[in-house]
Amino acid sequence: MSVSGDPAFLKSLSDATWKAVRDAEINLPPDVKTRLEHAHRNESVLVARKELENILENIRLAEERSAPLCQDTGIPVMYVTIPPGFSWSPEMEQAVHEGIKKATNDVPLRPNLVHPLTRENTRTNTGLEMPPVHVCTGDRFTITALPKGAGSENVSRIHMMNPSEKGSIPRFIVETMLKAGGRPCPPVFLGVGVGGTFDKAASLAKEALLEPVDSMTEYEQDICDQVNRLGIGPMGLGGDTTCLVVKVKFAGCHTASLPVAVNIQCWAARRATVEVSL
Amino acid sequence: MKHLTTPLGEEILDLKAGEMVTLSGIVYTARDEAHLHIMEHGFPFDPHGAVLYHCGPVIQDNRIVVAGPTTSARMNPLTGFMIDAGIRGIIGKGGMSAHVRDQLRGRAVYFAFTGGCANLAAARMNLTGVHYSELGMAEAVWIIELDKLPLTVAMDAHGGDLFAVVEGHAHEVFQGMYPTSTTGI
């Protein structure tokens, strides 16, 4: 029997999905926590420091209570890597959805997924072609959950720039945060996609949020510094810390195009990866 | 730091934007659907001195699992009638419009609670009841008793608005960085 139809394997994939979603919802990755602690130590504005203190206390309590960090448990965007010799199948996609349904019930997660017009809730966080499951090849079989909440997603932007405007990319990113203000729950992480096609740029921007946040290139650091000069601060109440990290991913694009997408991520930069046992 | 208790009265007129306070007592969660429902059917609770919490909590087995604030701006056009009815305080995140700021004058204040801090909130809350459970978990009006929830007065009853001050400053800085027109979006 091919592995894609093996019930034991599909159970393993479903369990790994459940674990990835659960871990992502409750425990922030160490690199994200370190960034927030660093921001708290360096913040000079009293209200901002109190906001960061609340955030750090909330992270501690989420672990202690084994409860989701935020009541907006988001849409669990999924990323799968499959080793050579495997191919993705509808059964596997179904197993991932089963894991999400189980996590929605067990963790529990807020059922956020609705029909776009009737607003009818599927109650499982699955269905209607959602959530997205992105598949690519890798060394190991892994599944990653990136739960994305609405507050930061709603103020994200994509702009089809003219190729001659490449120098204005930082301005577009800073302006995106200016318009977003306190709404995306800053301090934020900014995932940026430059190049590709209309859809690829948006995918890159979200994939950039999977990158470790312990370092930045000079280009990224410069944009991060510009955003912080705006003084929006934690929750838009003012302060030194508006943006913790900028991560930019590039892709080739049409010679007449320059798509730029900015996916804003709130301070709760949730992600977790679990290896699927074969 | 001031410690406030619901129902709120004239004491809220002394609060200034930027001040940090704690709040104890009963609050009512209300998001978009609850506002529309109350507008149509009237209040299921006494609005005088009451505090609304813009929040769609996760509730399981009559227990608050998590309950952080939601984006208040969605309720901008739905807030005037609440204040007219005697609501004295609103808790949320992200601030509200200049129109709401005017509606608050002499009557009510807007408190900011840290977005995403759903556990910190839940750890200081007890669920005491629910109205409109048929609206679903996120949109129902949950009756919650707070124990010293830490809040920042973001919009006071005298036109003070911390969000507007910060936003105005951010626009000035941006204009300084990029004096030409914006990217036009």
Side-chain angles (χ1 to χ4, degrees):
Chain A
M1 191 195 300
S2 75
V3 68
S4 68
D6 177 2
F9 168 73
L10 293 174
K11 171 79 166 51
S12 173
L13 178 57
S14 177
D15 288 351
T17 302
W18 177 87
K19 187 171 188 322
V21 172
R22 186 181 184 283
D23 285 359
E25 293 284 357
I26 296 171
N27 304 302
L28 277 186
D31 56 334
V32 173
K33 272 198 279 192
T34 301
R35 278 277 163 186
L36 285 160
E37 283 159 2
H38 183 260
H40 178 249
R41 274 198 302 277
N42 291 292
E43 179 61 59
S44 71
V45 178
L46 189 63
V47 167
R49 210 160 56 237
K50 180 65 187 169
E51 293 296 300
L52 290 163
E53 191 184 309
N54 285 350
I55 288 168
L56 292 172
E57 173 70 357
N58 185 69
I59 293 167
R60 193 187 66 73
L61 282 166
E63 287 173 15
E64 187 182 296
R65 301 172 76 244
S66 280
L69 282 149
C70 177
Q71 82 290 338
D72 185 353
T73 52
I75 294 286
V77 183
M78 307 303 297
Y79 294 88
V80 179
T81 62
I82 52 176
F86 285 84
S87 59
W88 192 244
S89 69
E91 289 89 346
M92 290 183 189
E93 182 111 359
Q94 189 56 40
V96 169
H97 279 207
E98 288 307 317
I100 293 169
K101 284 181 197 173
K102 189 166 183 301
T104 299
N105 188 61
D106 296 350
V107 175
L109 307 182
R110 202 170 69 183
N112 284 325
L113 191 67
V114 301
H115 185 281
L117 295 184
T118 67
R119 311 306 289 185
E120 191 183 338
N121 198 311
T122 67
R123 312 217 64 78
T124 61
N125 282 316
T126 65
L128 307 166
E129 302 193 37
M130 286 289 280
V133 181
H134 302 279
V135 181
C136 68
T137 53
D139 298 337
R140 298 171 301 142
F141 209 125
T142 67
I143 184 147
T144 297
L146 188 151
K148 194 69 173 68
S152 57
E153 192 79 347
N154 287 350
V155 285
S156 298
R157 292 201 303 173
I158 188 161
H159 183 19
M160 303 304 284
M161 297 178 80
N162 288 321
S164 64
E165 292 178 302
K166 64 182 183 226
S168 296
I169 293 170
R171 182 176 73 176
F172 172 66
I173 299 166
V174 177
E175 188 198 53
T176 297
M177 200 53 216
L178 175 75
K179 285 173 187 278
R183 285 178 291 162
C185 288
V188 298
F189 299 80
L190 295 177
V192 181
V194 177
T197 47
F198 179 80
D199 52 318
K200 178 73 177 175
S203 282
L204 282 174
K206 181 140 285 152
E207 282 163 29
L209 297 174
L210 294 171
E211 298 279 311
V213 293
D214 49 9
S215 67
M216 279 185 273
T217 65
E218 206 180 314
Y219 188 71
E220 293 164 340
Q221 181 74 58
D222 181 51
I223 296 167
C224 187
D225 292 345
Q226 287 188 40
V227 171
N228 282 325
R229 281 208 286 279
L230 296 176
I232 293 166
M235 300 304 146
L237 294 166
D240 306 322
T241 320
T242 304
C243 180
L244 294 164
V245 162
V246 176
K247 299 303 276 187
V248 185
K249 279 179 89 86
F250 296 93
C253 63
H254 192 290
T255 185
S257 279
L258 180 55
V260 180
V262 183
N263 200 190
I264 300 184
Q265 169 64 57
C266 66
W267 65 260
R270 300 169 285 191
R271 54 175 149 78
T273 301
V274 171
E275 186 152 0
V276 183
S277 49
L278 298 171
Chain B
M1 190 188 287
K2 283 180 189 153
H3 303 288
L4 304 169
T5 306
T6 65
L8 298 176
E10 299 280 314
E11 72 275 21
I12 56 122
L13 301 177
D14 297 334
L15 299 173
K16 297 278 184 302
E19 204 171 330
M20 288 182 273
V21 300
T22 66
L23 181 68
S24 299
I26 297 292
V27 300
Y28 303 90
T29 69
R31 304 206 328 168
D32 315 58
E33 291 294 328
H35 280 70
L36 293 169
H37 209 76
I38 292 170
M39 200 183 273
E40 196 175 336
H41 301 283
F43 281 84
F45 56 85
D46 181 3
H48 293 98
V51 175
L52 295 180
Y53 182 23
H54 292 156
C55 169
V58 177
I59 307 279
Q60 192 183 42
D61 303 328
N62 283 321
R63 189 179 66 89
I64 301 170
V65 181
V66 283
T70 197
T71 302
S72 296
R74 290 204 315 275
M75 271 61 78
N76 280 338
L78 305 171
T79 295
F81 85 96
M82 291 283 194
I83 297 167
D84 290 344
I87 296 290
R88 285 283 197 177
I90 297 168
I91 306 169
K93 77 172 178 80
M96 301 190 77
S97 66
H99 187 54
V100 172
R101 185 166 69 225
D102 287 339
Q103 289 167 332
L104 292 173
R105 276 179 193 275
R107 301 193 286 174
V109 293
Y110 175 85
F111 301 104
F113 181 59
T114 319
C117 285
N119 282 273
L120 177 58
R124 292 170 190 231
M125 289 175 169
N126 268 316
L127 184 63
T128 66
V130 64
H131 297 293
Y132 305 145
S133 57
E134 68 274 17
L135 296 179
M137 190 194 291
E139 302 292 341
V141 174
W142 298 97
I143 309 167
I144 291 172
E145 186 168 14
L146 299 184
D147 177 23
K148 292 187 179 161
L149 192 70
L151 303 169
T152 300
V153 179
M155 297 166 80
D156 63 31
H158 308 279
D161 183 349
L162 187 52
F163 287 102
V165 170
V166 169
E167 200 181 305
H169 175 257
H171 274 90
E172 274 174 33
V173 172
F174 184 78
Q175 282 303 318
M177 279 195 270
Y178 297 107
T180 52
S181 66
T182 64
T183 51
I185 297 227

